[in-house]
């Protein structure tokens, strides 16, 4: 009887103990390998200057995938059928994907935005009919501080699929201004005065040089473009300076700025 019991114990140990020991060893080795893989991946991402948000997200994805694979391997080592487990995971993934189609589109857009970096936090952009400064780039959405101090939250899917104008890519902007002068004006003299006005401002760049040219011979005025270049941050100070000083500059050289006139005709009644 004692021999029978010992044989049973040995059989049970051989049948279940060795797989359990293998599973424990696999867990220890797998956990160490996952930790090493995460550290190496983190260093590579930091070296390539990935966005912090993207680093955290991708590391979490990699960590979860590796742990799921490790768990499946451990379950298989214990002699449990893993095909049903894998099928359940696949079905769950499909159900989640169908339920979150819009969110997945925004998620994919967020990943691509963080990878290709069409803009960064602090850039001024125009996208989806909104113009403002990028405040925050998340995986699902981007926050934009508009010029009226309102915050716009744009889903990353539509944002990536639409046109994006980044005002800060080159660091230089052209100030778009136009002024109309009378047909009686001395045009070369007027252009010279307006060019001096533009170049006198300390925030106007010498290279590229300001553009001052006649653009339109309108019905009641000759319209002149005045387009100096500035650093992006100096755009509005230069724009307001020009608007403020157009009239004094033209008054100083005797050039009139036309304005609408109304002629009233009355019929004499006898």
């Amino acid at each position: 009887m004692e021999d029978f019991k010992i044989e049973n114990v040995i059989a049970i140990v051989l049948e279940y103990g060795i797989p359990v020991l293998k599973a424990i060893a696999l867990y220890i080795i797998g956990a160490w390998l996952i930790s090493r893989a995460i550290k190496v991946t983190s260093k590579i991402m930091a070296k390539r200057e990935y966005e912090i948000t993207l680093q955290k997200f991708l590391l979490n994805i990699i960590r979860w995938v590796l742990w799921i694979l490790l768990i499946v391997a451990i379950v298989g080592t214990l002699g449990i059928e893993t095909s049903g487990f894998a099928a359940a995971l696949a079905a769950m993934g499909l159900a989640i994907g169908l339920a979150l189609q819009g969110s997945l589109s925004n998620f994919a857009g967020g990943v691509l935005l963080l990878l290709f970096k069409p803009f960064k936090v602090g850039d001024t952009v125009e996208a989806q009919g909104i113009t403002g400064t990028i405040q925050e780039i998340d995986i699902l959405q981007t926050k934009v501080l508009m010029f009226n101090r309102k915050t716009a939250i744009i889903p990353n899917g539509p944002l990536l699929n639409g046109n994006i104008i980044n005002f800060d890519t080159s660091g230089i902007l052209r100030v778009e201004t136009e002024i109309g002068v009378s047909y009686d004006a001395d045009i070369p003299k007027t252009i010279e005065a307006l060019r001096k006005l533009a170049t006198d401002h300390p925030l106007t760049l010498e290279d590229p040089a300001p553009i001052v040219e006649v653009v339109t011979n309108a019905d009641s005025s000759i319209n002149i473009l005045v387009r100096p270049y500035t650093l992006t941050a100096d755009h509005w100070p230069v724009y307001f300076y020009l608007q403020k000083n157009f009239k004094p500059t033209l008054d100083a050289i005797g050039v009139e700025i036309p304005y609408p006139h109304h002629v009233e005709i009355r019929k004499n009644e006898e």
Side-chain angles (χ1 to χ4, degrees), residues 33-44 59 63:
L33 290 174
I34 290 173
S35 176
R36 290 294 302 168
I38 294 299
K39 288 181 180 179
V40 171
T41 305
S42 177
K43 289 181 180 179
I44 292 174
L59 289 175
R63 184 180 289 109

Side-chain angles (χ1 to χ4, degrees), residues 36-79:
R36 290 294 302 168
I38 294 299
K39 288 181 180 179
V40 171
T41 305
S42 177
K43 289 181 180 179
I44 292 174
M45 289 183 179
K47 187 176 181 180
R48 295 184 179 180
E49 298 182 348
Y50 281 28
E51 293 283 347
I52 297 298
T53 304
L54 182 60
Q55 288 188 40
K56 292 180 179 179
F57 176 77
L58 291 179
L59 289 175
N60 284 333
I61 292 293
I62 294 171
R63 184 180 289 109
W64 277 105
V65 170
L66 291 178
W67 272 107
I68 289 174
L69 293 175
L70 178 59
I71 291 171
V72 171
I74 291 173
V75 170
T77 301
L78 293 173

Side-chain angles (χ1 to χ4, degrees), residues 98-192:
L98 292 174
L100 301 175
Q101 289 183 27
S103 296
L104 289 176
S105 172
N106 293 331
F107 154 74
V111 171
L112 293 175
L113 285 175
L114 293 170
L115 278 174
F116 296 109
K117 300 179 182 179
F119 51 75
K120 62 182 183 298
V121 173
D123 283 356
T124 300
V125 302
E126 179 183 331
Q128 296 295 305
I130 293 171
T131 303
T133 302
I134 300 296
Q135 274 191 313
E136 186 178 341
I137 307 170
D138 292 330
I139 288 299
L140 296 179
Q141 61 193 20
T142 296
K143 294 182 180 179
V144 180
L145 181 64
M146 301 170 66
F147 295 139
N148 57 9
R149 308 307 293 177
K150 296 179 181 179
T151 298
I153 300 176
I154 309 176
N156 286 335
L159 178 59
L160 183 69
N161 291 326
N163 294 326
I164 301 174
I165 300 175
N166 190 331
F167 296 96
D168 289 280
T169 301
S170 67
I172 296 175
L173 283 182
R174 186 175 67 188
V175 180
E176 299 285 345
T177 56
E178 184 176 326
I179 184 73
V181 299
S182 168
Y183 269 90
D184 295 331
D186 183 332
I187 297 303
K189 184 178 179 180
T190 302
I191 288 178
E192 185 59 33

Side-chain angles (χ1 to χ4, degrees), residues 179-183 220-223 250 255-261:
I179 184 73
V181 299
S182 168
Y183 269 90
S220 59
S221 66
I222 296 177
N223 298 334
L250 296 177
V255 172
E256 178 186 358
I257 299 176
Y259 56 90
H261 291 76

